[in-house]
Amino acid sequence: MDAASLSDGFRVGDWLIEPRSARATGSAGRPVELTQQQTQLLVALATRHGEAVPKRELRAMLWPGTAGSEERLRETVSSLRSLFGEDSRHPRYIASVGHDAYALVAHFDRAPQASCVDEPPRRVARLHRLLSELRRRNVVKVAVSYLVAMWIVLQVAEVTFAPLRFPDWWMTALTIIAIIGLPIVVALAWTYEITPQGVVLDPGSDRAGVVKLHRPRARQTLAPALVGGVALMAVVTGFAWWRSIDARVETSRAAAGAPEPGLQSIAILPLVDLSPAGGNAWLGDGLSEELSTRLAQVPGMRVAARTSAFEYRGKNVDVRRIGQSLGVRHVLEGSVRREGDEVRVAVQLIDARTGYHVWAGNFDRAWRDVLVLQDDIARSVTDALEVVLAGPSSATSTAVDARALDPYFEGLALLRQPGDASLLRRGENAFRAAIDIAPQFAAAHAGLCRVLSRRFEVAPDPTVLAEAERSCRRALALDASLVDTERALAALYASDDRFNQAIEIYRRLLERNPTDAGVQLELGEALDGLGLDQEAEQSLARAVALDPAFGRAHTSLGRFYFHRGRPDEAVAAFTRAAELAPASASAWSNVGGAAQMKGDMETAIRAYDKSLKLEKSATAYSNLATAQYFTGRFAEAVQNFERALVLNPHDQILRGNLADALWAIDARRQEAVALYRDAIAKGEAQLAKNPEDATLRAQLGFYYGRTGDPARAEAYIADAVAKGPEKVYVQYYRAVAAADRGDRAAALTGVAELLRVGYPRAMLRMAPEFRNLSQDAEYVKMMKDG
């Protein structure tokens, strides 16, 4: 893109930049004037968004031939960072790349252009004519009457169908018929008019005259047909009712020996926001999740997974059906209403077998006491269930500054979202805001630790991990008994490859709450990191079973399947994750991964492009580059791997992938060797923390082979094969290393092993590393089999 195309304006993160008027407008809506140098620098970086732009090019563009331009460039960058509210240690907008380049890394969009406007008088005249016709033909009156009638019918049906034992599909069918009927009624109202003389075309139609449906019918002659239709529906309804009663009797008999959901089982539905100003839905979600966590700590209490219960948000579903679907005896529902500094929570405990209320309560508190409110509700609910809360109330309930609660609950809500980098940044900012207001707020420190640990998993940066550890230790010092603190500490350990310590904490948490899908997922990921495949799969599958709407669980299970050579199961898991979060950049990256495993690289590339349009991320750039690499577009792959490395400069795998793309270009192999050496240094430091990582050992062996150290290469690969012979990428690097050194027999053995452990044959046919085997008869035969 060029500078002229950006002159009308563009968005960088939360800021709208308008080069023509030299101003920037943030989320607060107040414009800030920009200097000429600031404007020119932003345009220059935006034209190469996500790329490292050398300082010498920027100086030559802004101050050609001027002394002291280096200092001016630093001052201009510093002033922009100050405007955007960031510092050089944690850049969110302008990142320093080495000592000689800058890159614009914030989310970038062109500002929407003003659309061409039709001639106002013509549009007004057309609209006036349309409204006149709608009134004359009574279309609006008929549509409104129809909607009112259908609403009354549906309300009556909802009340009467259940007592009459109508099957559930009757309500669904009636709703569908009501929706389909609306456009039909509107079309008929526009075209026809029922008069005493018969059904006639409206005079406004192009074809005037009587429509003789065999012969004109007066309105009175329609009555027999209507009566006949009603009678037919009554007969069909009666027959279906009679059959459904028989079916229910048979079902009841068949289920007579099956145990009912236990008395001490409950689902917590999201509390509905009834605040006059709205905008407090996150408060109802946060309270519901906290209540689920508290009640899950009660001995003998079984609480339905949060995401499964949240599936019923905003749906008018009979509570008996909810209880049956979630397998619980009781359902807690209610509302939250916030006015200024006052909060009212109304909750009802309902017996899911009968639909009757067991208990109801109203709780009025000052906003600063909302955490105490959670304890009061949990204790009242458990008393109603005849269960005694074990132990004293959590120390979280101690009063905190009420102003810290808004950002704290916002951070919790963002932690539940997909792992897009922008969402993690927003969650981090929310927890920091809570801590700034209430420095002794232990749960906020724990939340910050969790979100920083997830950021490190997405883009390994040692400074982020160090900060996560400081946050965890602060939370421990303030309140070591918090469940949030324990979970945050486990997440920190897992991010730092200290899997044994993470697993110990996760198992302890699951002893207290075995139905927590999030903890099951994180335990599975830690077990996977330690190479305990069978246990890892069981835990990941358990997370999906506990919470089928948990997108991150499907994604993790998909990665597990792929790395174990089970591409069909991996594709199914990735596809389901994308269906659950279609607006997420990481979801589209999953779609691309599924297509790539099938060998459909063009579909994969389109999905990765879509992901990048939603959000620039190292993962999406890397995935796009990998697909380009497999299709032989090595120069494009190099560019996108470089963009990924700008966003994630500490990842040794990215360095190795960029080196692979450079290695495929003969003239750039020396650059590739230098990157392989960097990857070796980072990889060996990582291996020191987790020496059982067989895949990392295989990677290091492959790197050493390409840097000209065959002895170390063979030792690392032999050790990797001994430790993890069933791991896909152990066999992949083994085969590539053999092909690199020209050992045909070993390379063919490696390819055979790679196919045995489940590497997709479609991807293997495209892999550039094995093109020197493309004329080998045995290799060709292996590629054709299956």
Side-chain angles (χ1 to χ4, degrees), residues 194-195 198-199 213 215-229:
I194 298 177
T195 71
V199 180
L213 306 174
R215 62 194 180 96
R217 300 179 184 180
R219 281 184 297 185
Q220 294 88 336
T221 64
L222 295 177
L226 292 174
V227 172

Side-chain angles (χ1 to χ4, degrees), residues 449-462:
C449 176
R450 284 178 63 193
V451 78
L452 289 171
S453 297
R454 286 187 65 187
R455 268 194 59 201
F456 180 79
E457 290 173 2
V458 173
D461 182 345

Side-chain angles (χ1 to χ4, degrees), residues 71-116:
E71 182 62 26
R72 290 187 181 184
L73 178 60
R74 280 199 302 270
E75 290 175 357
T76 305
V77 170
S78 177
S79 66
L80 285 173
R81 283 174 170 165
S82 177
L83 171 66
F84 294 144
E86 66 173 3
D87 61 56
S88 59
R89 292 174 299 173
H90 306 290
R92 293 180 294 114
Y93 286 81
I94 301 175
S96 299
V97 183
H99 298 290
D100 58 354
Y102 292 113
L104 187 65
V105 297
H107 179 74
F108 170 84
D109 278 316
R110 293 189 185 185
Q113 301 297 312
S115 60
C116 294

